[in-house]
Amino acid sequence: MTESFAPGVRVRDLTVVYKTPAGELPALAGVGLTLAPGTITGIVGESGSGKSTLALSLLNAVQPPGRIKEGSVEIDGLGDVVKLDGEDLRQVRGRKVGYVFQAAQNSLNPLKTVGKQLLDLGRSHDVADLQALVRDARELLGRMGLDGARVLDSHQHELSGGMRQRVGIMLALVLNAHLVVLDEPTTALDMITQATILRIVRDVHHERGLTTLIITHDMGVAAEVTDSLAVMYGGRVVEHGPTTEVLGAPQHPYTQGLIRAIPRLSGDIDEARALPGRPPTLGTMPREGCVFRERCPLRMDVCDTVDPAPVTRGERTVACHAVGHQVSPPRRKEYA
Amino acid sequence: MITGTGITKTYKQRGHILGGRDVQALRGVDFDVKKGGAVTFIGESGCGKTTLGRIVAGLETCDSGEIVIDGTPMSGLRHRQRQAHFRRIQLIHQDPYSALNPTRTIYQTLHAPLALRARQTGRSKAWAEERARELLTLVGIDPGYVLPRYPHQLSGGMRQRVVIARALTVDPEMLVADESVSMIDVSLRLGILALLKDLRERLGVSVLFITHDIATARYIGEDGELYVIYRGQVVERGPTETVISAPVHPYTQALLSAIPVLRGVERPGAERVEPTEALDERHVDTGCLFARRCPFRTDECEAERPSLGNGGGTPQEHACFHPRPRSVIPVEACA
C-alpha cells in the first residue's frame, strides 16, 4: 500500500484540437482549472461543451483524431501528465488516476467474470499479492452494499445497472488511486439508484481521502455531491466556484440560464425558462469573440470580437465581459 | 378520450434452459385520459410505464383488461377498425436520433403521410406541401431550413420537434410522449416541454407523458393527473400538485426523496424516505409489493396486498395501508 494522500490537479491553458475535413478545430480552447486536494469537483456542460475531452486529458488519453495541442495537466506526485508517454503513462492510469467510464454497462468485458477482470487489472499493473487485491475488492464492494464474493463470480449481464456502476467504481479504486474521474456516473440509472450511487461516491471519497472529479450534464447531480463546480460551454470553463455559491448566485449568463431552465418541484413552475438558441458544435463554434454571445441576454459590442478571459475574484472565476460591469447579477432578466 | 380497466401484460422469457421466468409487466392497471387532459406516468425503469404507453398507443396488446376509446371498446374490433381508432393516438419516441429515417429528407418524411391524407380526403398536392410547412412552423422550426435537410444535419432538439411534427400530420387527438426529453440537452429540454404544453393548450391535444423526471411532469400540466407506477401496479394517483407536495405512499416518497437537491438554492425536505433495500424483481410477495423495501411496513403489509383507494381520507388515491403525507421534496432555501 502506498501512503494515502489526495493530489491536487492544475490544468493550465489546455487546448485540445480534433482533426476534421475543415481543419483542426478546438474542442478545448485554453482551459484552466484547479482541483483542490481532497475535494469533489463537478464539471457541468451540455453535449459538445468539451467536458469529456477535459476528463480524458487528465489521463492524457485523448484519442486521434484529437490531440492535446498545448497546455499542461499537472498532478501532484506525477508532474505534467501531458509529457508522459508509453509505459510511464500506462502505469499512471489505473494506479494513480482511477477512471469510471460513462455507461459502465459497456465498459466491462461480457465474456469474463468481474473477478477475472480484476485479476487482469492486477497482473497488468504487476500487483504481487493478488489475493490481497481480491480481498480489497471484496471489501470495497461490501462497503458499497454489495455481496462482494457473489459479484466477483458474476458476468456483467447478471448485474443490474446500479451494480455495474459500483463495479466500475471498485475497479477505479482498487489499485489505491487517489485521483478519481467519474464520467456521467449516473446516466441511465433510476432516481433511487442514482441517489444511492451519489451517496456512495461521497462516502468513499471521504473515507479514502480522494480528489474526485465528476463530469455530468445534470445540474442536480453536481449540486448533490460536489464541493466546487465548474460550468463548461463551447470548450471553455465559463464559471467556477464553490457549488452552493455558483448555484445560489450564478454570475455567468449561461449558468444563470441553465439554472432557470431546470423545472423544479416547488415554487412557481412557470418561472422555468428555456435558453434560446442551441449549444455550438465543433463546426459552428465562432472563431473569435465570446462563444455564448448568440444566446446571451447581456450581449455587448465587445463580445463579438474579444473572447472574455477568466477573471478570478476570491474563490470564484467567471469569463464574461458583462460581469464586473454590473453591480448585481440580473436574475430577473427575461429571456425571449 | 381513452380509458383502460384492469390492464395486465406478462412477458414470457423464452429460450432459457430452465424454461425462463415470466415477467409480469402490468398487474391490473386502470387509467383514464380525458379529452385535452394531461396524464403523467412516473416510476423506475422496468415498472411497466413504457409497456403501458405502448398499449395506449396501440403498438402492444394487453393480455386481459379492456381499452375504450371514446366509448368504443377495442376488444371486439377487427384489426383494421382498431387501427383507425389508434391512429388518433400518436407515440413520440424517446430517441430522436433513431426515430427518423436517415435516408430521407425531412420533406420526404413529412410529405408521405400528408400526401396519403390528401388522396384520402380529396385535397390537392399543394395542400400537403402547405401543411408540412404549417406543422414545422407550429413546432417552432423554420421550414425553409429544415425541409431539404437529412436528420443527421439537425440537432437533437430540432429532430425531436420534427418527430412531433410528423406525429401531428394525422391530426391526432392524443400524444404519448415516452421520455421524450431525456436525450436532449438540458438547455433545450424546456423548449420541447413548452411545445407539448402549448399543443395541449392551443389544439386541445391530450398528452400522456411518461417519465422518471417528476419535475418535468409538473411543467407539462399542473392541472393534470400523476400516476405513480411500481412493478406494474399503480400505487398512487391524483392531481399532480397534490401527489408532489403531499405524497402518501412510501414508494412515491422514496422516489421524490431521491431527487437531487440544488444546494445553495434549495434545502432537502425534512422527512426524506429511503428504501431499506434495493429492488429485487425475483421476489413477488403476496402482500404489498413494496413491503420488502418499505421502512414503515407492518405485518399487515406482508399478509395482504393493498388496492388503490382513498383510505384514510386522502385527496389522492393510493395503495397503502398506512398512508401519511410526508414532506420529502426539496424546498426553496430562504436567501
Side-chain angles (χ1 to χ4, degrees), chain B residues 61-323:
Chain B
T61 54
C62 48
D63 298 340
S64 67
E66 180 68 278
I67 297 215
V68 179
I69 300 180
D70 283 340
T72 317
M74 290 297 107
S75 57
L77 296 184
R78 287 172 180 280
H79 181 63
R80 264 180 176 281
Q81 292 170 307
R82 244 205 328 263
Q83 269 194 326
H85 280 284
F86 279 120
R87 185 161 306 138
R88 291 147 62 200
I89 301 171
Q90 290 291 319
L91 181 73
I92 298 162
H93 292 267
Q94 173 174 11
D95 181 2
Y97 295 86
S98 61
L100 293 169
N101 187 335
T103 66
R104 290 183 165 202
T105 61
I106 305 305
Y107 173 81
Q108 289 170 314
T109 297
L110 288 182
H111 194 259
L114 285 170
L116 181 70
R117 251 183 100 72
R119 263 206 309 282
Q120 284 170 343
T121 54
R123 289 195 182 94
S124 67
K125 273 187 185 163
W127 172 83
E129 308 240 332
E130 187 48 41
R131 184 77 184 140
R133 291 177 171 276
E134 234 176 75
L135 287 173
L136 288 173
T137 315
L138 183 70
V139 298
I141 41 184
D142 174 17
Y145 175 81
V146 171
L147 278 174
R149 286 191 158 65
Y150 288 95
H152 74 265
Q153 294 170 302
L154 305 177
S155 70
M158 271 203 191
R159 273 186 246 197
Q160 195 60 289
R161 284 171 196 265
V162 171
V163 172
I164 294 173
R166 182 179 59 182
L168 293 175
T169 55
V170 294
D171 294 322
E173 286 162 44
M174 179 166 157
L175 293 174
V176 178
D178 187 0
E179 298 280 10
S180 297
V181 294
S182 62
M183 299 188 67
I184 294 172
D185 271 318
V186 184
S187 72
L188 307 177
R189 259 181 214 185
L190 212 63
I192 300 288
L193 292 174
L195 171 62
L196 288 173
K197 187 180 179 167
D198 188 52
L199 290 174
R200 202 186 135 220
E201 282 164 7
R202 279 204 289 168
L203 307 181
V205 181
S206 323
V207 175
L208 172 60
F209 195 65
I210 299 170
T211 183
H212 64 265
D213 183 358
I214 304 162
T216 56
R218 239 182 124 220
Y219 194 77
I220 283 287
E222 277 180 282
D223 56 335
E225 263 202 312
L226 192 66
Y227 287 57
V228 183
I229 303 179
Y230 181 66
R231 301 183 69 185
Q233 203 197 356
V234 176
V235 294
E236 186 160 355
R237 155 174 134 174
T240 305
E241 280 300 327
T242 312
V243 176
I244 290 177
S245 58
V248 294
H249 195 287
Y251 175 68
T252 315
Q253 292 165 355
L255 211 55
L256 288 163
S257 304
I259 293 168
V261 178
L262 282 183
R263 287 182 301 131
V265 186
E266 301 169 329
R267 57 195 160 76
E271 302 171 278
R272 283 172 117 181
V273 172
E274 217 177 292
T276 52
E277 54 182 83
L279 172 62
D280 191 340
E281 275 166 1
R282 288 169 302 181
H283 293 294
V284 180
D285 303 310
T286 49
C288 174
L289 287 168
F290 189 62
R292 248 168 215 285
R293 306 172 69 193
C294 182
F296 312 110
R297 69 169 167 264
T298 60
D299 293 344
E300 190 185 9
C301 307
E302 276 157 34
E304 202 187 328
R305 190 174 299 174
S307 56
L308 205 61
N310 287 82
T314 55
Q316 70 266 51
E317 290 182 280
H318 58 81
C320 181
F321 289 124
H322 313 287

Side-chain angles (χ1 to χ4, degrees), chain A residues 305-324:
Chain A
T305 49
V306 184
D307 193 0
V311 176
T312 305
R313 280 198 192 85
E315 288 184 288
R316 303 189 58 176
T317 305
V318 184
C320 177
H321 292 302
V323 176

Side-chain angles (χ1 to χ4, degrees), chain A residues 108-189:
Chain A
L108 292 172
N109 185 336
L111 301 176
K112 288 185 171 180
T113 61
V114 172
K116 283 223 172 78
Q117 292 178 60
L118 174 70
L119 293 178
D120 285 350
L121 179 75
R123 288 192 199 102
S124 71
H125 282 279
D126 306 318
V127 173
D129 189 353
L130 288 174
Q131 268 168 359
L133 184 74
V134 172
R135 210 163 44 237
D136 287 350
R138 256 207 309 264
E139 215 171 275
L140 259 167
L141 289 169
R143 172 67 201 77
M144 294 191 272
L146 297 180
D147 176 352
R150 201 199 119 200
V151 169
L152 289 179
D153 279 335
S154 303
H155 286 86
Q156 64 137 0
H157 69 266
E158 296 169 285
L159 305 173
S160 71
M163 288 163 99
R164 284 179 212 168
Q165 196 56 265
R166 280 176 260 194
V167 168
I169 295 173
M170 179 276 286
L171 290 172
L173 291 175
V174 73
L175 291 177
N176 220 15
H178 281 93
L179 172 60
V180 177
V181 181
L182 299 115
D183 193 357
E184 299 279 8
T186 61
T187 308
L189 296 183

